[in-house]
Amino acid sequence: MNNNSPQGAVSTPQVDIENDNSAAVTITAEQAGQRLDAALAAQLPQFSRNRLQSLIKAGSVLLGESKIVAVKYRVNEGDVFSLTLPEPEEAEPQPEDIPLSIVYEDDDLIVIDKPVGLVVHPGAGNHTGTLVNALLHHCGDSLSGIGGVKRPGIVHRIDKDTSGVLIVAKNDFTHKGLAEQFADHGRNGPLERAYQALVWGAPIGLKGTIDANLARATANRQKIAVVKADQGRHAITHWQLQERFGPEDKPALASLIECRLETGRTHQIRVHMAHIGHPLIGDQEYGAGFKTKHNKFEEPLCSLIANFKRQALHAGLLVIEHPRNGQIMRFESPLPDDFQGILQGLRQV
């Protein structure tokens, strides 16, 4: 309500845009007979008249289930128009000359040893400097149209601060074949994905399986959380103890775990290991409660862990069947230096 309206004048209600970029505008008696663009402009002052005219012409305004595309359409009292803003179109990623560590390459696929800090594909806050930008430069037009504009050739991903093996398709045939293998997660085929993780403490036993559904956390949509069995998406992680660190007669201070995925959910290993009480060393999101654990160690290990500001997770192994010739291909990546430094320090504890 406009409290500055002259006495006796009727003010027009103002409508807010909802979170889903939509709004419902009900025509008042005073607006009856007005042009549609004028009536909308009165209730949606956050938009210019020209912007509203463009939205009307684009079919973004409905009366009931009917699109109204005429800006001069005369409105009636009680008409309810729904306006839906189109999703903003993001710029097509451009080729960038970014160095790549190439493990293998042929006419159908390319295997990258992804370093820590490299984002896989463009997204919010990362529109340039991604693996996709680098691949477009390296592979040229052969990637265009594969897997969509934002993710050409990408069939799986690794978090920005996780290192290791990642495979990319160069054509539609290979993209389809690899996507089918990753969707199957090795249940009926040769696909293998193994990760090395340094975690706080050590799980009970030599190996185990974490079966816990995952979904976006309600309090923070950037994080993932374990949810009830009838909610979220099914997620299974198989783990095996590789090394245990600390005095033999006391609980382990840390351990090296190999994780193999039966499903591929966002942050799956990180959330699952935190869920069983053994978050990854350096994990700022899911291991915040363990951030002072490094004080248990002497120098230089104490400082190494304190300054390790990422999750200690590495995609060390990938096995696939080549979609073109059926050859079983095995790719491995050595641990990066910072991960290796902490590992060597733990072995001396």
Side-chain angles (χ1 to χ4, degrees):
M1 180 70 71
N2 182 0
N3 294 324
N4 295 321
S5 299
Q7 188 174 4
V10 178
S11 62
T12 302
Q14 294 186 5
V15 176
D16 293 326
I17 298 294
E18 301 295 335
N19 290 334
D20 60 354
N21 285 335
S22 65
V25 176
T26 302
I27 302 303
T28 66
E30 292 71 25
Q31 291 181 299
Q34 290 183 1
R35 287 171 38 142
L36 176 58
D37 59 338
L40 293 180
Q43 296 198 42
L44 296 166
Q46 58 269 58
F47 297 105
S48 68
R49 186 84 165 262
N50 286 338
R51 171 64 169 150
L52 289 168
Q53 289 174 351
S54 297
L55 290 170
I56 295 168
K57 293 175 182 177
S60 297
V61 178
L62 301 181
L63 177 58
E65 297 182 358
S66 301
K67 289 183 180 180
I68 306 298
V69 295
V71 296
K72 295 182 179 180
Y73 178 89
R74 298 293 172 174
V75 301
N76 300 299
E77 180 184 0
D79 283 349
V80 179
F81 292 92
S82 58
L83 168 69
T84 302
L85 298 179
E87 291 293 330
E89 296 182 5
E90 297 192 40
E92 183 174 341
Q94 298 300 308
E96 295 179 39
D97 188 4
I98 300 170
L100 292 173
S101 176
I102 299 173
V103 177
Y104 174 84
E105 182 175 13
D106 62 24
D107 292 339
D108 293 302
L109 54 84
I110 181 170
V111 180
I112 305 297
D113 192 352
K114 190 190 86 66
V116 171
L118 180 63
V119 176
V120 172
H121 49 69
N126 296 289
H127 298 292
T128 61
T130 71
L131 177 61
V132 164
N133 298 108
L135 289 168
L136 289 171
H137 179 272
H138 179 80
C139 300
D141 293 336
S142 64
L143 287 179
S144 61
I146 304 170
V149 172
K150 297 286 291 299
R151 307 183 183 191
I154 304 296
V155 291
H156 69 123
R157 55 168 284 180
I158 300 175
D159 288 344
K160 174 184 176 182
D161 288 331
T162 299
S163 53
V165 185
L166 188 143
I167 191 168
V168 177
K170 285 187 173 183
N171 51 59
D172 288 320
F173 176 85
T174 305
H175 190 274
K176 180 176 183 294
L178 290 175
E180 289 173 350
Q181 292 182 54
F182 277 90
D184 181 65
H185 295 288
R187 297 184 187 95
N188 302 298
L191 180 80
E192 292 183 54
R193 298 170 70 186
Y195 293 77
Q196 285 77 49
L198 281 174
V199 306
W200 290 112
I204 298 175
L206 298 179
K207 61 181 180 179
T209 295
I210 306 167
D211 186 341
N213 285 20
L214 301 176
R216 291 285 174 184
T218 54
N220 181 351
R221 301 294 292 175
Q222 301 300 313
K223 295 180 67 174
I224 306 297
V226 169
V227 295
K228 295 179 181 179
D230 60 346
Q231 300 175 352
R233 305 182 70 185
H234 195 203
I236 298 177
T237 302
H238 303 287
W239 62 266
Q240 184 168 347
L241 180 67
Q242 300 291 300
E243 292 185 60
R244 177 189 181 281
F245 308 111
E248 289 292 337
D249 58 341
K250 295 182 180 180
L253 296 173
S255 55
L256 177 65
I257 303 290
E258 180 185 85
C259 295
R260 292 182 178 245
L261 303 178
E262 192 172 318
T263 55
R265 309 303 182 204
T266 300
H267 298 178
Q268 178 174 319
I269 293 173
R270 299 166 62 189
V271 178
H272 271 176
M273 294 309 298
H275 176 62
I276 64 171
H278 302 285
L280 274 61
I281 290 176
D283 195 328
Q284 306 297 303
E285 290 185 290
Y286 304 107
F290 290 67
K291 62 183 179 181
T292 61
K293 281 279 189 178
H294 60 269
N295 292 326
K296 292 181 176 292
F297 301 109
E298 297 180 357
E299 295 295 351
L301 181 57
C302 179
S303 293
L304 281 176
I305 297 177
N307 294 319
F308 193 82
K309 301 299 185 182
R310 68 175 184 90
Q311 63 272 6
L313 185 63
H314 179 71
L317 172 68
L318 175 65
V319 178
I320 59 106
E321 178 181 327
H322 198 295
R324 185 74 63 181
N325 56 32
Q327 179 183 356
I328 305 302
M329 308 186 75
R330 181 185 181 92
F331 304 105
E332 297 187 53
S333 166
L335 292 172
D337 291 343
D338 58 349
F339 193 122
Q340 193 72 256
I342 293 177
L343 182 58
Q344 293 300 327
L346 288 170
R347 286 172 175 159
Q348 297 173 24
V349 173

